[in-house]
Amino acid sequence: MSLRDPLVLTDPKVVSVVRSLGRGQESPEYYRLKARIHQDLLNRMDLEVMANMGADRLRDELAIWVEKMLMSSGAVLNAADHQRMVSDIQNEVMGLGPLEPLLADTSVSDILVNGPTQVFVERHGKLELTQVHFTDDAHLMKIIDKIVSRIGRRIDESSPMVDARLPDGSRVNAIIPPLSLQGPLLSIRRFAAQPLRSKDLMDMKTMTPELSELLNAMVHAKLNILISGGTGTGKTTLLNVLSSAIPSTERIVTIEDAAELRLQQPHVVRLETRPPNIEGKGEVSMRSLVRNSLRMRPDRIIVGEVRGIEVLDMLQAMNTGHEGSMATVHANTPRDALTRLENMAGMGGASIPSRVMRQQIASAISAIVQIARLTDGRRKIVSLQEVVGTEGDVVTMQEIYTFTQTGVADDGSVKGHFAATGVRPQFMRRLQAFGLNVTDDTFDPRKTYE
């Protein structure tokens, strides 16, 4: 690393004694000093040398130079603040600044930045206000730009909204002024470092062993499954878990707005949409990718989230040989999920009679898995329904499994139980044809699970 001259900080506001108020509660002087050191460091560093330097060596070099800058600044910091300053500058140069400690915390599932001075996190389904904050709007904008530029996207006044992802697959959404009235906003939906498995969901009581066995059998037998739920209910996580039952011999094509799925099979092709460029050209829509995937010889097509006219191409794919395909949709109930599919086709300008559209939906979708986040923050599969067919203009369904809430405990936790409805699904014949023997106990309504 090359730094041209020794650093001398002469700003009287910065050279004052900097006192800490505890981790995450540094004084304004601390943040002014950090911003000044960071900027002077960037001005003096040889960026080309830094880019070719290994991560460990770069971290060590940064620590050495920050130590020198602190000594020459004349500021007085206690030992905790001294080490914190070194760590903060390392995070600013090599990572995402104040967000790095939150990203390293495995208990954090969501990071919600409401402007530079207010950062919330979600832990175990509950929102908590943190003491993390950014220096100002410009500081937060630099972090947002660093995130989106990594995947070739941009955010500015002409394009003030963007979806992106972190290298670990975490989902990122950012929106900035003039659309945001309180400065830049950043939302990060995190995923576990190790993808969750069926056993993990059973341990968290998201589903029961019998339900897990049934769902895995349905995936193996190539039933087309739609996962429905509200925002933050765990649809993508459940889709990842169910996809693990797909045989490793099959070719899978995944299509997403921002690549989040992490399938473990050896033959997975991942496609991602592309927004228009600054001239409004170059957009690649979800529908285009679904259509193109049909020419890629897929055994199964997995759509991360259906939200538009691509629903028509997805349903046609499910009806024309691509059995075992899966997708997610935002809806509060299984019935609402079917209505949303129909509405999305209509909003796209498709002039298909309602009756024909419903027949196509009933023919394509085999089952709907409804997942919900309860008031205590836990996620549960609250319903499994089989799509039976149509009666007149109505798509008929029958519920196979359900979660019934019976109350709320004194500590706020939801009380309830899982149970089968006693209905034996029609797709059992297909499971048997694939050599999958699901026991009759799975459908015994007398067996309940808390």
Side-chain angles (χ1 to χ4, degrees):
M1 182 180 299
S2 173
L3 288 170
R4 292 186 289 274
D5 301 305
L7 176 70
V8 179
L9 298 176
T10 58
D11 187 340
K13 294 181 180 179
V14 174
V15 179
S16 61
V17 176
V18 182
R19 299 188 182 278
S20 173
L21 302 177
R23 183 174 178 82
Q25 293 184 331
E26 289 82 359
S27 66
E29 289 82 4
Y30 175 92
Y31 287 103
R32 283 195 289 268
L33 176 62
K34 186 183 77 170
R36 181 68 181 274
I37 290 178
H38 181 211
Q39 187 57 53
D40 283 349
L41 185 63
L42 292 178
N43 292 340
R44 297 164 187 271
M45 282 194 306
D46 187 326
L47 298 180
E48 184 175 349
V49 172
M50 183 185 74
N52 295 325
M53 195 175 295
D56 291 340
R57 184 184 170 193
L58 177 57
R59 185 170 292 276
D60 292 341
E61 292 282 354
L62 287 171
I64 292 171
W65 283 104
V66 171
E67 295 276 3
K68 291 181 178 179
M69 291 176 177
L70 286 174
M71 290 180 63
S72 64
S73 70
V76 179
L77 284 78
N78 61 35
D81 277 346
H82 192 94
Q83 182 56 42
R84 175 121 173 118
M85 180 69 74
V86 173
S87 177
D88 283 351
I89 297 297
Q90 289 172 330
N91 290 336
E92 291 288 348
V93 175
M94 302 179 63
L96 300 181
L99 297 180
E100 283 296 320
L102 301 180
L103 292 170
D105 187 346
T106 57
S107 68
V108 173
S109 56
D110 280 276
I111 301 172
L112 308 171
V113 182
N114 303 336
T117 61
Q118 190 180 68
V119 180
F120 284 86
V121 297
E122 180 186 285
R123 288 188 176 93
H124 312 297
K126 297 292 186 180
L127 288 178
E128 303 174 8
L129 177 63
T130 71
Q131 296 172 346
V132 172
H133 69 268
F134 296 80
T135 305
D136 50 27
D137 284 356
H139 183 201
L140 177 52
M141 278 299 302
K142 286 181 182 179
I143 299 300
I144 292 175
D145 190 62
K146 182 181 289 190
I147 293 172
V148 302
S149 62
R150 287 174 174 173
I151 61 170
R153 299 192 176 181
R154 63 184 178 83
I155 185 167
D156 51 39
E157 286 190 4
S158 64
S159 180
M161 295 185 296
V162 69
D163 288 315
R165 66 180 185 277
L166 298 180
D168 65 357
S170 297
R171 179 193 311 167
V172 177
N173 174 268
I175 182 168
I176 65 173
L179 300 187
S180 166
L181 303 181
Q182 59 191 82
L185 305 179
L186 179 66
S187 304
I188 301 177
R189 171 70 52 78
R190 301 194 59 216
F191 297 98
Q194 293 296 325
L196 296 178
R197 300 167 298 172
S198 293
K199 183 180 182 302
D200 298 316
L201 295 191
M202 287 185 284
D203 291 342
M204 293 185 290
K205 297 185 178 181
T206 299
M207 60 183 178
T208 67
E210 281 82 0
L211 181 55
S212 175
E213 179 187 3
L214 179 59
L215 290 173
N216 286 335
M218 291 165 59
V219 173
H220 193 84
K222 292 191 171 183
L223 297 181
N224 295 325
I225 299 174
L226 183 66
I227 298 174
S228 169
T231 300
T233 55
K235 298 185 298 297
T236 302
T237 298
L238 180 59
L239 184 58
N240 261 320
V241 170
L242 295 186
S243 68
S244 64
I246 299 176
S248 60
T249 56
E250 297 186 13
R251 174 176 168 87
I252 308 167
V253 177
T254 68
I255 303 169
E256 304 171 83
D257 276 327
E260 301 164 4
L261 294 171
R262 290 182 289 174
L263 276 62
Q264 304 303 307
Q265 288 81 354
H267 200 163
V268 178
V269 179
R270 306 172 71 199
L271 304 180
E272 185 180 58
T273 61
R274 186 176 70 184
N277 60 22
I278 194 169
E279 291 85 16
K281 300 178 180 179
E283 179 181 13
V284 180
S285 67
M286 182 79 76
R287 187 176 195 186
S288 298
L289 292 180
V290 173
R291 285 179 169 180
N292 188 79
S293 69
L294 301 179
R295 307 183 185 99
M296 299 173 66
R297 199 264 177 215
D299 289 307
R300 305 193 193 219
I301 298 172
I302 297 180
V303 181
E305 182 181 336
V306 183
R307 60 179 70 185
I309 189 62
E310 69 273 4
V311 64
L312 289 176
D313 302 280
M314 183 195 74
L315 293 174
Q316 290 178 21
M318 290 178 171
N319 276 321
T320 56
H322 300 91
E323 297 175 317
S325 296
M326 293 184 282
T328 72
V329 66
H330 274 84
N332 292 329
T333 67
R335 178 63 61 184
D336 289 346
L338 296 183
T339 302
R340 281 215 66 211
L341 295 184
E342 185 178 350
N343 290 342
M344 284 187 284
M347 288 188 295
S351 56
I352 301 175
S354 296
R355 184 167 185 169
V356 175
M357 188 67 207
R358 290 168 188 171
Q359 288 174 342
Q360 184 162 340
I361 291 173
S363 177
I365 305 295
S366 305
I368 300 176
V369 182
Q370 184 72 34
I371 187 168
R373 180 168 60 176
L374 306 183
T375 55
D376 59 3
R378 292 182 296 170
R379 279 84 167 174
K380 289 187 183 293
I381 295 177
V382 295
S383 182
L384 169 62
Q385 299 205 18
E386 178 185 25
V387 179
V388 179
T390 58
E391 290 183 3
D393 291 341
V394 179
V395 178
T396 57
M397 296 187 292
Q398 57 184 10
E399 191 165 43
I400 309 301
Y401 223 85
T402 185
F403 174 80
T404 303
Q405 181 173 336
T406 58
V408 179
D410 293 338
D411 62 356
S413 61
V414 171
K415 297 189 292 184
H417 60 266
F418 292 96
T421 61
V423 175
R424 188 178 176 87
Q426 294 183 10
F427 58 68
M428 282 298 294
R429 291 192 294 271
R430 184 177 180 91
L431 300 189
Q432 292 167 356
F434 275 76
L436 302 167
N437 296 315
V438 178
T439 63
D440 290 336
D441 287 347
T442 302
F443 310 107
D444 185 353
R446 296 169 297 181
K447 295 180 62 177
T448 62
Y449 291 85
E450 295 298 327

